[in-house]
Amino acid sequence: MAKFTDSGFTSNSFMQTNAEVIANFYTAFQKRDYAAMNSCYSDNIVFSDPAFGLLRGDEVKCMWEMLCKNAKDFSLTFSNIQLLDEEYATCNWTASYTFSRTGRKVVNHIKAFMKLKDGKIVEHSDAFKLSKWASQALGWKGQLFGWMGWMKRKIQNNARKNLVAFIEKKNTF
């Protein structure tokens, strides 16, 4: 397994290119530059995470645009880019922000899994504990019920509803 460090790689150039794509994605995210983030994705990107579930193509790109535009008190760090082979990579990232619906501070620790092809991210899956996110974002209700299936479905339904509303609003302009 190759690892990306400040000093670069000693292995194949494809690995450096893939690591650069991932670093560019998260550097753009730090700046809330959704256009630069989305330029790292293929047109047929497939994305999943515990909050939004499975998204494809423009849904993914609109999600990042929505999150970047609505972010409050946002900061992001990323580390430990690991290239598993010529296609697959992982990294860790942490987002800190104020959840707009409740005004509560969230620090979300995430493990990203990516598949890259021809210098673009074609699959991206973010893993984090939704119950931990819920306890931070929703307070006592999230702490008490965040681990339950119905609460997880409610969180996903709200995330999807917000994304659909964002896309519809965007398409009317």
Side-chain angles (χ1 to χ4, degrees):
M1 176 173 11
K3 290 189 180 184
F4 180 76
T5 65
D6 292 337
S7 60
F9 281 105
T10 57
S11 56
N12 299 340
S13 63
F14 73 82
M15 291 184 156
Q16 189 163 1
T17 302
N18 285 350
E20 288 170 353
V21 170
I22 295 167
N24 290 342
F25 179 86
Y26 287 106
T27 299
F29 198 2
Q30 288 173 323
K31 299 173 186 173
R32 297 189 311 195
D33 183 351
Y34 60 86
M37 292 171 67
N38 289 335
S39 73
C40 297
Y41 279 147
S42 73
D43 289 336
N44 298 320
I45 181 66
V46 176
F47 175 87
S48 69
D49 83 354
F52 285 91
L54 183 65
L55 301 174
R56 297 176 187 275
D58 287 339
E59 289 178 322
V60 179
K61 295 177 179 186
C62 286
M63 175 199 65
W64 291 122
E65 180 180 352
M66 177 182 76
L67 293 175
C68 286
K69 285 183 172 180
N70 294 334
K72 302 278 187 265
D73 307 317
F74 178 80
S75 68
L76 179 136
T77 60
F78 66 96
S79 63
N80 199 26
I81 296 173
Q82 293 187 358
L83 301 170
L84 307 176
D85 60 22
E86 67 276 357
E87 289 184 309
Y88 293 95
T90 65
C91 76
N92 300 321
W93 62 283
T94 300
S96 301
Y97 57 95
T98 300
F99 184 57
S100 59
R101 201 172 94 215
T102 60
R104 296 179 57 85
K105 187 71 174 169
V106 173
V107 179
N108 200 10
H109 300 280
I110 300 156
K111 177 84 169 194
F113 301 87
M114 297 178 179
K115 180 178 180 183
L116 296 98
K117 183 177 181 183
D118 300 325
K120 298 284 185 178
I121 303 166
V122 296
E123 294 176 12
H124 180 174
S125 179
D126 282 341
F128 59 90
K129 203 165 190 156
L130 190 59
S131 59
K132 185 172 181 180
W133 176 89
S135 68
Q136 293 179 73
L138 305 175
W140 68 268
K141 290 178 185 176
Q143 266 186 317
L144 239 79
F145 305 116
W147 60 275
M148 299 178 118
W150 64 267
M151 179 60 100
K152 290 178 180 183
R153 285 188 298 279
K154 183 175 180 174
I155 291 167
Q156 268 194 349
N157 289 340
N158 282 338
R160 295 283 263 181
K161 182 181 74 170
N162 290 339
L163 179 58
V164 167
F166 179 83
I167 292 170
E168 287 173 355
K169 184 178 178 184
K170 181 180 169 170
N171 289 337
T172 60
F173 291 105

